[in-house]
Amino acid sequence: MTRWDGLGHPDGDGVQPVSYGVAALEDSRTPPVLDVREVRKIYGDGDATVHALRGISISVDRGDFVAIMGASGSGKSTLMNILGCLDVPSSGNYLVDGTDVGALDDRQLAILRNRKIGFVFQSFNLIPRMSALANVELPLAYGGVGASARRKRAVAALDQVGLADRIHHDPNELSGGQQQRVAVARALVTAPSLLLADEPTGNLDTKSTEDVLQILDRLSAAGRTIVLITHEDDVATHAKRVIRLVDGQIIEDRRQGPVEGPPPRLLSKVAP
């Protein structure tokens, strides 16, 4: 039986990219990180039927920084759950790094979530009685990474978010902004293909919000692929692309900056 390697790449465990045929080989381009094709999500039946998503199609290339916006009931939370492989669409296809998520069994899906997607939630979701270091190590422990390598990678991730001096602090010893930065470090530690952030600044004050957004800007500038769920226009200005949902449909898909290169806020700081 084959395993995932230490960097989170499948080496034969059944989670493999789909074949794109001769044309793709000739093109030599890598598949998009996310490829959502005519995805629909329906809850209930009869008079109680709710169409949460109505034929959503989105392709997100490597290195892009996308903000998905919408009011309550727009379908953005449902879409986030599908993108994070926490729910399945009623119809349509969803590929992560060329892998058809719908073709995976539960075990393969858990592996893909652990290795390919880094989650950042509004409520932090840290384990209260574990230090910042232990919280960040957790995805690596689930992935079977050894203790020494786990610690080295977790310390590096915490340093990346400016918390090298807080690694032994429990969550209740950290501010809200620091807790969210721990959550970002935890999301980064497996070197995922996608950083998926669901309202990451929703519980933060203005200063902590800016700190977290600056981290996301730097990650984007370094080539990290980020999808951010938000209802705040100011937060969305940090993204290279903004997608707006209403009643389960895309009504706007606007590019604010090229996929390659720094995000708009960083670009504006270096512009003459």
Side-chain angles (χ1 to χ4, degrees):
M1 182 181 297
T2 50
R3 304 291 182 190
W4 287 77
D5 67 21
L7 295 176
H9 300 133
D11 57 9
D13 218 357
V15 186
Q16 297 291 344
V18 298
S19 172
Y20 283 83
V22 174
L25 292 175
E26 292 175 347
D27 197 344
S28 76
R29 293 180 301 180
T30 58
V33 174
L34 297 182
D35 191 2
V36 179
R37 304 174 180 176
E38 286 294 321
V39 162
R40 300 177 184 272
K41 185 64 179 181
I42 302 172
Y43 297 101
D45 51 32
D47 293 338
T49 299
V50 175
H51 294 266
L53 296 177
R54 301 169 181 263
I56 296 290
S57 293
I58 302 171
S59 181
V60 177
D61 290 325
R62 195 169 309 278
D64 211 350
F65 184 0
V66 181
I68 297 177
M69 303 190 68
S72 177
S74 64
K76 68 181 188 298
S77 294
T78 300
L79 180 59
M80 191 281 295
N81 287 335
I82 290 174
L83 295 181
C85 302
L86 302 172
D87 198 359
V88 296
S90 301
S91 64
N93 298 98
Y94 171 40
L95 288 75
V96 178
D97 261 356
T99 297
D100 188 345
V101 173
L104 305 182
D105 60 28
D106 288 345
R107 176 175 170 275
Q108 293 167 343
L109 198 56
I111 293 171
L112 183 141
R113 276 195 302 264
N114 179 266
R115 302 301 190 182
K116 292 287 187 180
I117 304 173
F119 294 93
V120 181
F121 298 101
Q122 179 176 344
S123 56
F124 318 143
N125 288 0
L126 301 178
I127 297 177
R129 296 184 181 180
M130 294 176 65
S131 68
L133 181 63
N135 268 283
V136 174
E137 284 185 2
L138 205 54
L140 298 174
Y142 289 148
V145 178
S148 177
R150 285 203 310 265
R151 181 182 177 87
K152 182 178 180 180
R153 290 168 63 174
V155 168
L158 285 163
D159 182 55
Q160 193 172 4
V161 299
L163 291 177
D165 59 343
R166 295 287 189 273
I167 64 174
H168 297 300
H169 287 62
D170 289 349
N172 64 3
E173 299 173 311
L174 301 172
S175 68
Q178 288 171 333
Q179 289 184 58
Q180 191 60 295
R181 284 151 64 190
V182 172
V184 172
R186 180 183 58 193
L188 293 173
V189 76
T190 58
S193 300
L194 170 68
L195 186 65
L196 184 58
D198 183 20
E199 301 277 5
T201 62
N203 287 341
L204 303 181
D205 60 27
T206 302
K207 176 61 169 61
S208 296
T209 291
E210 189 59 30
D211 288 343
V212 169
L213 290 175
Q214 285 179 4
I215 290 170
L216 295 182
D217 282 344
R218 292 198 300 270
L219 292 171
S220 175
R224 183 73 60 184
T225 307
I226 302 170
V227 172
L228 170 71
I229 311 295
T230 185
H231 65 275
E232 300 179 59
D233 288 326
D234 188 56
V235 172
T237 62
H238 288 257
K240 300 175 181 178
R241 178 183 176 193
V242 177
I243 296 172
R244 194 177 300 271
L245 300 182
V246 172
D247 295 333
Q249 294 179 301
I250 295 174
I251 65 161
E252 181 184 26
D253 189 343
R254 171 170 46 92
R255 183 154 291 285
Q256 301 184 142
V259 174
E260 297 181 359
R265 286 292 188 93
L266 285 187
L267 193 61
S268 66
K269 291 179 180 179
V270 300

